[in-house]
Amino acid sequence: MNERTVLIVEDEFAIRDMLRMALEIAEYNCLEADNIQDAYRMIVDDRPDLVLLDWMLPGGSGLELLRRLKRNDSTRELPVIMLTAKTAEDNVVQGLDVGADDYITKPFAPRELIARIKSLLRRAGGGEAYERMQVSELVLDAESRRVFLGQSLVDMGPTEFKLLHFFMSHPERAYTRGQLLDQVWGANVYVEERTVDVHIRRLRKALQTEVADYSNLIQTVRGTGYRFSSIGSSAS
Ligand code: CA
């Protein structure tokens, strides 16, 4: 019962149908379009809260629509997740450059997509939901800068807190050590990449308490870096 509306812009019926079912199970309202003209009209008329935007569409690409949305003051803030079958890095970068908030590569698990949507709406919505983040028994209260596992306070350093805060607001996405340094330490700080590993280790240790072990939420992504995920962990 979240009453949020997601616009699906996708020309392949089977994928659109799968998306609509996954969204409806997660209790989102759905709008559907199979071309960018209809999509733009729905965005203006029906004001969806988020757009899932396919890349390759008849009569104009998803990127074209994205550019149009970002040029316009009234639609600039609308969160957009690009759906892409293209795995080439530069295409993904292009989408993010134009202003997509996130992207997901086909084929994808509906559950992962829903997690991304939730995360993005939380970030876009701001306010209370953003300040208090929760995965099962793990609660991060940004305002008081405290972390709880169940009823117990989790002791961690300020860097571990910032790292966890970043992870919990960007779940299910792999980050390189360099990206984590930019996001958590700041782009202008010179720190060696292995520093990230040290703090990841401390964070995992902090999440292992007598109450529960949530350290496996912080996953190592081989060849990339790290990801925060409740999928495939005992905390899901
Ligand atoms: Ca397509």
Side-chain angles (χ1 to χ4, degrees):
M1 50 155 279
N2 51 53
E3 314 224 337
R4 302 284 211 133
T5 300
V6 175
L7 170 62
I8 307 164
V9 189
E10 167 65 78
D11 59 316
E12 278 167 75
F13 177 75
I15 297 177
R16 207 167 68 229
D17 210 38
M18 185 270 277
L19 289 168
R20 184 179 48 75
M21 282 192 285
L23 287 163
E24 283 176 356
I25 289 167
E27 300 187 309
Y28 290 100
N29 298 319
C30 290
L31 293 169
E32 296 174 49
D34 61 6
N35 64 74
I36 66 170
Q37 287 76 24
D38 286 350
Y40 189 74
R41 188 176 45 74
M42 285 180 191
I43 289 166
V44 172
D45 291 347
D46 304 317
R47 302 257 138 213
D49 296 289
L50 185 143
V51 180
L52 293 178
L53 181 56
D54 183 31
W55 197 289
M56 302 292 277
L57 292 159
S61 76
L63 201 62
E64 210 176 306
L65 176 62
L66 182 63
R67 284 208 180 92
R68 190 166 172 188
L69 295 177
K70 294 301 164 185
R71 266 202 309 267
N72 199 318
D73 278 344
S74 62
T75 52
R76 186 172 296 139
E77 303 292 321
L78 178 63
V80 175
I81 299 179
M82 297 290 295
L83 305 172
T84 173
K86 301 177 166 192
T87 46
E89 192 85 348
D90 56 349
N91 283 310
V92 165
V93 170
Q94 201 184 2
L96 294 175
D97 274 352
V98 172
D101 298 276
D102 203 350
Y103 66 90
I104 192 160
T105 308
K106 294 183 218 173
F108 48 80
R111 196 174 162 186
E112 188 189 353
L113 179 71
I114 298 296
R116 300 276 193 94
I117 289 173
K118 279 188 182 156
S119 159
L120 190 50
L121 285 173
R122 201 162 49 219
R123 272 187 275 160
E128 225 172 318
Y130 181 73
E131 293 305 323
R132 194 178 164 86
M133 288 172 272
Q134 183 162 9
V135 173
S136 297
E137 295 257 88
L138 177 67
V139 176
L140 183 144
D141 185 335
E143 221 152 352
S144 68
R145 298 187 75 83
R146 283 190 298 197
V147 177
F148 297 90
L149 260 179
Q151 300 298 313
S152 355
L153 193 61
V154 180
D155 189 31
M156 64 176 70
T159 304
E160 286 70 57
F161 179 88
K162 276 169 80 176
L163 200 50
L164 183 62
H165 188 262
F166 176 73
F167 275 138
M168 287 183 83
S169 38
H170 302 80
E172 310 304 338
R173 193 161 166 180
Y175 289 94
T176 64
R177 288 167 181 80
Q179 286 171 326
L180 289 171
L181 282 175
D182 284 352
Q183 297 288 338
V184 177
W185 279 258
N188 299 316
V189 179
Y190 181 76
V191 188
E192 282 185 65
E193 292 201 344
R194 66 176 175 215
T195 305
V196 175
D197 301 326
V198 173
H199 289 278
I200 289 279
R201 240 183 343 259
R202 287 188 197 160
L203 177 57
R204 282 180 176 149
K205 209 172 161 199
L207 295 175
Q208 276 175 305
T209 69
E210 284 165 22
V211 183
D213 183 357
Y214 276 59
S215 59
N216 55 5
L217 290 173
I218 315 290
Q219 300 175 351
T220 301
V221 185
R222 233 171 259 281
T224 304
Y226 299 99
R227 130 177 22 94
F228 181 88
S229 176
S230 56
I231 297 169
S233 82
S234 57
S236 63

